[in-house]
Amino acid sequence: MNNAVLNSRVASDPVSYDDSDSPQLIKLRGVVKSYNDGALTVMDHLDLDMHAHERLVIIGPSGSGKSSLLRVMMGLEGIQEGTIDFLGTQYITGTRNKPQKLDPRLQRQIGMVFQHYTLFPHLSVLGNLMLAPTKVHGWTKAQATERATQLLARLGLESKLHAYPSQLSGGQKQRVAIARALMLEPKLMLFDEVTSALDPEMVVEVQNVMLKLAEQKMAMIIVTHDMHFARHIATRVVFCANGKIVEQGPPEQIFTNPKEARTREFLEKVVIFD
Amino acid sequence: MEYQLDFAFLSGSAPDLLEGLWVTVRLAIAANAMGLTLGFALCLMAMSHWALVRWPAQMFIEFFRCTPALLQIIWFFYCLPFLFEVYIDPIPMGILALGLNLTAFNAEAYRAGVQAVPRDHLDASIALGLRPWQRTIYVVLPQALRSAMPVLMTNGISILQQSALVAIVAVGDLMYVGKDIATQNYRPLETYTLVALIYFLLSLPIARLAHVIERRQDAVVER
Amino acid sequence: MNVNFSIVLEYWPVLLRGLGMTVAITMTCALVGSLAGFILSLARTSGNRMLSYPASLYVEFFRGTPLLIQLFWVFFCFPIVLGLSVAPIVSVCIALILYMAAITCETFRGALKSISSDQYDACTALGLSAGVRVTYVIFPQALLRAIPPLLSNVISLFKESALISSVGIADLMFVGQNLSNSTARPIEFLTAVALIYFVVAFPLTRLVGWVERRMLRRFS
């Protein structure tokens, strides 16, 4: 239980700490994923390791399989080959032409936030937060309400408890979506371009929430096009292209001194160097 | 109870059925011609800025949409000749009743199409300096027609089916001929099944086409 | 000729009784038909071809043939096929229910289709089981979205129910026609009957529009 998640202080400096001896969280080995019978390969024998308390930011050109990686880890899409371990246990194994095999007990410990809010429009904010805990995990209504109220208060949304999604701004919706994913105290949070659909003035309020989570050492994998934010929040940046990891390392190294030509080429297109 | 199905007797009635079918087809085509043209005119009237034009048009639409088609047909056949002291042949009268009914429904379909034209497109055409009538003709009309097409086709099919109602006022359409044959031969099961099949086969290709157009439009909107 | 509507007032109770019959049959058939339509839509959208194919055929057939012939078919042919006598009122109710089920099936199918795949993704991400997903996320949204078209279906049924007069059920249409024949005053009575249908149906169409706008606001 990590009840200290989300204290009220906003991080102003890049947060980082040594995580070399924290336990292994995720291990991908030889993961292959393709669409249309192999016509489009988005993950090509991918290997990736991640420790608890790490924050990976995945960057790369569009179509490089960044979102697919998150969707696979969440169990939304299957893989054809390879294995994914989570918390030291086998979580997903690749299957060809067969329904996805994954361990649902492990799936429950991962939370995900999407680009398009995906709040349930017919349920209030509280209803959205309480649905999974009460209907799937047997929490009582009182327990769920208490946790939801706590979470929303920390996100500055206590007044929106009974509001419906359509009455919220984009930034508020996305913060509610984050709160909803946090209800079950996941060990890993996945963020799939969560600020891409937002108006600029709302981006920061969502990013601040993510930085608060970072301070609380929440393990995260983030896909974003915002290189400034990537540099700020990442403990490690992973550059993907054509379904492969081209280069990875601490943000300072990737953004100021990339080793691979393809990384440099990509960054020159999306970042203005001093 | 054992009932022996016998479709053979129907072959003797084939000429009658064909004649009835021809009346039905004529009713449906003429009513659609009326509905498609007058419906658009009525739609423009119902969206007019002048209340004197808009009000009667809206009344017309609402009245035809909110009363049973059967009642409209019976009203036309029994009341129109008295009220205006005119005599109209049964088939033209049937076309008039069905056509005006369809006019009201199609006017609504056109209106929904006009309203579905994105606001941005109007802004853009104003920014490009198009005059109001140019906006209507070059920007609004093509898009409205496009998005109204599936509904217009569905309405067209339902008027084909509603045309069966003229049988109740003794117009010799497919339904009327079928009723006649069923009563004369005491074989309602075979006759009504065959008549239902004919109606079904008439509307099936149009329904399929409307479905295809709708799906294509959905695909365009998504990407 | 002179038109005198005061005669309609004399027969007011008879017309009201006819309206009562029309409303009672509409409500009964709308309720049962909607339920049947919902079950049918589940069959039609299910992955099982043994279920979806017959359901599709049913819907296509009932939407592709005139209600009048469906009514005649049930009225005259059901007793032959089943080999037992069926009361007229039961016959017409069966016909209207079968028709309502077909159009309502399409309404529910449209509502189910309009729920975006994002909603399904969110359910998976939250670890919701299939049962919870359908009961608490998909079904409530589909039902809410289906309310305006469902109401429209009921209005259609209200109007289409006038056809049952052709097999001798004493509904509003039947009573109106009878009165217009027996008093030889078609203009007064048929117009009055039209107005009664209008007075019931028109506010309902406004209600549909109002509900629809509210839904749009809620789901925008």
Side-chain angles (χ1 to χ4, degrees):
Chain A
M1 277 276 266
N2 187 359
N3 267 330
V5 162
L6 294 175
N7 68 16
S8 56
R9 200 166 64 85
V10 178
S12 50
D13 306 317
V15 240
S16 59
Y17 19 73
D18 183 18
D19 45 46
S20 49
D21 52 11
S22 60
Q24 174 112 11
L25 190 67
I26 277 258
K27 188 170 96 181
L28 276 72
R29 285 297 175 267
V31 172
V32 172
K33 175 165 185 59
S34 58
Y35 294 105
N36 303 338
D37 291 322
L40 175 68
T41 302
V42 290
M43 293 163 85
D44 184 3
H45 296 93
L46 206 70
D47 296 339
L48 182 69
D49 292 273
M50 179 185 180
H51 289 84
H53 312 326
E54 266 197 291
R55 292 182 302 280
L56 262 54
V57 170
I58 303 179
I59 60 171
S62 41
S64 58
K66 301 175 305 253
S67 287
S68 294
L69 181 64
L70 296 194
R71 292 177 64 81
V72 161
M73 280 195 242
M74 190 65 253
L76 297 170
E77 291 176 27
I79 53 175
Q80 275 94 33
E81 278 177 45
T83 56
I84 301 176
D85 291 3
F86 180 51
L87 297 168
T89 323
Q90 189 159 74
Y91 169 44
I92 296 174
T93 45
T95 48
R96 262 187 203 284
N97 310 323
K98 266 186 287 175
Q100 175 71 2
K101 266 171 62 183
L102 60 78
D103 187 333
R105 282 166 307 164
L106 292 173
Q107 188 187 19
R108 262 173 225 162
Q109 307 195 45
I110 303 179
M112 182 164 180
V113 186
F114 301 85
Q115 178 179 358
H116 302 287
Y117 327 113
T118 66
L119 294 179
F120 303 129
H122 62 297
L123 297 175
S124 66
V125 166
L126 187 59
N128 266 280
L129 265 62
M130 284 175 43
L131 185 64
T134 56
K135 302 300 174 199
V136 183
H137 301 280
W139 293 23
T140 65
K141 274 200 167 163
Q143 280 175 310
T145 313
E146 193 194 328
R147 167 103 178 127
T149 319
Q150 240 176 345
L151 267 175
L152 289 170
R154 286 170 186 167
L155 293 173
L157 290 164
E158 57 270 59
S159 62
K160 302 293 180 188
L161 206 60
H162 299 288
Y164 280 85
S166 60
Q167 298 163 326
L168 303 177
S169 71
Q172 289 170 334
K173 279 185 207 172
Q174 209 55 305
R175 284 187 286 158
V176 172
I178 294 174
R180 185 174 72 175
L182 287 172
M183 278 296 281
L184 294 166
E185 294 163 17
K187 298 278 196 304
L188 170 66
M189 284 285 283
L190 309 174
F191 293 89
D192 189 3
E193 299 191 23
V194 293
T195 55
S196 304
L198 295 178
D199 291 336
E201 71 269 25
M202 292 171 183
V203 168
V204 173
E205 66 179 76
V206 173
Q207 289 180 344
N208 274 340
V209 169
M210 292 168 73
L211 287 168
K212 275 196 218 175
L213 284 174
E215 280 190 338
Q216 299 308 318
K217 303 191 176 182
M218 171 63 81
M220 309 181 193
I221 306 181
I222 301 162
V223 169
T224 182
H225 291 295
D226 185 338
M227 295 302 151
H228 181 72
F229 179 64
R231 193 168 176 172
H232 203 58
I233 197 166
T235 56
R236 174 153 50 113
V237 174
V238 179
F239 174 69
C240 290
N242 298 330
K244 286 187 159 66
I245 294 173
V246 176
E247 182 173 3
Q248 51 180 319
E252 301 78 49
Q253 183 215 312
I254 298 285
F255 285 114
T256 56
N257 189 22
K259 290 194 177 68
E260 299 290 326
R262 298 231 330 259
T263 317
R264 200 171 304 127
E265 209 177 293
F266 171 74
L267 287 173
E268 275 165 3
K269 283 181 198 155
V270 294
V271 199
I272 302 160
F273 286 102
D274 315 318
Chain B
M1 193 182 101
E2 275 301 299
Y3 181 84
Q4 291 295 315
L5 275 178
D6 173 22
F7 282 95
F9 80 94
L10 283 167
S11 59
S13 312
D16 292 341
L17 281 170
L18 275 179
E19 206 167 304
L21 177 62
W22 176 229
V23 172
T24 292
V25 168
R26 264 155 63 204
L27 284 170
I29 289 176
N32 267 295
M34 247 178 101
L36 288 172
T37 47
L38 293 184
F40 189 70
L42 190 64
C43 155
L44 290 182
M45 285 169 68
M47 296 182 81
S48 158
H49 290 294
W50 296 301
L52 265 176
V53 178
R54 192 173 64 235
W55 262 78
Q58 282 173 345
M59 287 272 288
F60 181 96
I61 293 174
E62 297 300 350
F63 210 80
F64 274 90
R65 278 162 48 91
C66 290
T67 52
L70 176 62
L71 180 56
Q72 291 160 21
I73 288 166
I74 290 179
W75 198 92
F76 269 82
F77 274 82
Y78 290 131
C79 302
L80 210 60
F82 286 118
L83 270 180
F84 300 104
E85 290 177 6
V86 286
Y87 179 79
I88 304 177
D89 282 329
I91 292 180
M93 186 64 111
I95 291 171
L96 185 67
L98 292 169
L100 288 180
N101 176 284
L102 186 59
T103 298
F105 279 89
N106 279 356
E108 272 301 289
Y110 283 122
R111 199 169 65 102
V114 170
Q115 279 168 350
V117 176
R119 182 78 228 163
D120 299 356
H121 290 206
L122 283 180
D123 291 348
S125 57
I126 294 169
L128 288 170
L130 296 183
R131 294 169 198 287
W133 64 269
Q134 289 172 319
R135 272 178 252 155
T136 309
I137 292 184
Y138 298 116
V139 180
V140 177
L141 187 64
Q143 297 195 62
L145 266 180
R146 235 179 105 90
S147 61
M149 193 57 90
V151 184
L152 292 175
M153 291 174 81
T154 316
N155 287 353
I157 299 169
S158 43
I159 214 68
L160 166 70
Q161 284 153 21
Q162 299 284 28
S163 78
L165 299 182
V166 299
I168 289 177
V169 288
V171 176
D173 74 331
L174 181 59
M175 182 74 209
Y176 184 80
V177 174
K179 216 169 76 171
D180 223 31
I181 297 171
T183 350
Q184 277 172 16
N185 297 284
Y186 302 105
R187 290 229 169 247
L189 183 55
E190 292 85 344
T191 319
Y192 288 139
T193 306
L194 179 71
V195 171
L197 260 171
I198 298 175
Y199 275 108
F200 181 60
L201 292 177
L202 276 180
S203 51
L204 190 65
I206 312 167
R208 290 274 122 191
L209 188 62
H211 188 67
V212 169
I213 292 178
E214 197 165 20
R215 258 220 310 249
R216 192 171 302 162
Q217 284 182 356
D218 283 353
V220 170
V221 171
E222 268 166 37
R223 280 292 131 201
Chain C
M1 73 173 286
N2 62 329
V3 174
N4 180 3
F5 275 95
S6 61
I7 189 168
V8 173
L9 292 177
E10 286 173 38
Y11 292 94
W12 194 241
V14 188
L15 288 170
L16 270 188
R17 228 174 300 140
L19 177 63
M21 177 64 111
T22 292
V23 170
I25 287 187
T26 305
M27 301 274 267
T28 313
C29 299
L31 202 69
V32 182
S34 298
L35 277 173
F38 178 67
I39 295 167
L40 202 59
S41 75
L42 292 182
R44 197 170 177 190
T45 50
S46 82
N48 188 344
R49 279 182 169 214
M50 295 286 281
L51 289 172
S52 66
Y53 203 73
S56 302
L57 195 68
Y58 174 89
V59 172
E60 298 268 346
F61 199 80
F62 275 80
R63 279 160 48 99
T65 52
L67 176 57
L68 186 61
I69 196 140
Q70 294 164 21
L71 184 69
F72 278 21
W73 206 96
V74 171
F75 197 83
F76 295 111
C77 305
F78 250 44
I80 299 175
V81 174
L82 298 175
L84 45 91
S85 66
V86 183
I89 186 98
V90 176
S91 273
V92 299
C93 281
I94 291 174
L96 292 180
I97 286 168
L98 292 177
Y99 168 79
M100 186 69 180
I103 57 175
T104 306
C105 171
E106 286 307 274
T107 301
F108 279 118
R109 197 171 70 110
L112 286 172
K113 248 176 43 184
S114 72
I115 296 168
S116 77
S117 63
D118 287 349
Q119 293 281 311
Y120 289 89
D121 283 352
C123 289
T124 312
L126 289 172
L128 302 183
S129 63
V132 172
R133 188 177 66 201
V134 170
T135 322
Y136 294 97
V137 179
I138 306 304
F139 181 66
Q141 286 189 62
L143 194 66
L144 282 175
R145 280 166 204 227
I147 286 175
L150 272 178
L151 269 172
S152 297
N153 291 352
V154 175
I155 300 170
S156 293
L157 189 70
F158 172 71
K159 291 184 296 166
E160 298 290 351
S161 75
L163 295 195
I164 63 178
S165 65
S166 65
V167 289
I169 304 293
D171 73 333
L172 179 58
M173 183 75 214
F174 184 85
V175 170
Q177 261 187 294
N178 249 0
L179 287 174
S180 87
N181 290 340
S182 58
T183 59
R185 292 220 164 256
I187 295 175
E188 288 86 343
F189 279 104
L190 292 179
T191 309
V193 167
L195 275 173
I196 298 175
Y197 275 108
F198 182 80
V199 163
V200 177
F202 181 69
L204 285 174
T205 62
R206 297 291 103 165
L207 180 68
V208 173
W210 181 77
V211 171
E212 219 158 21
R213 279 192 299 279
R214 274 190 59 117
M215 295 279 150
L216 274 179
R217 232 180 299 150
R218 168 78 59 97
F219 287 119
S220 63

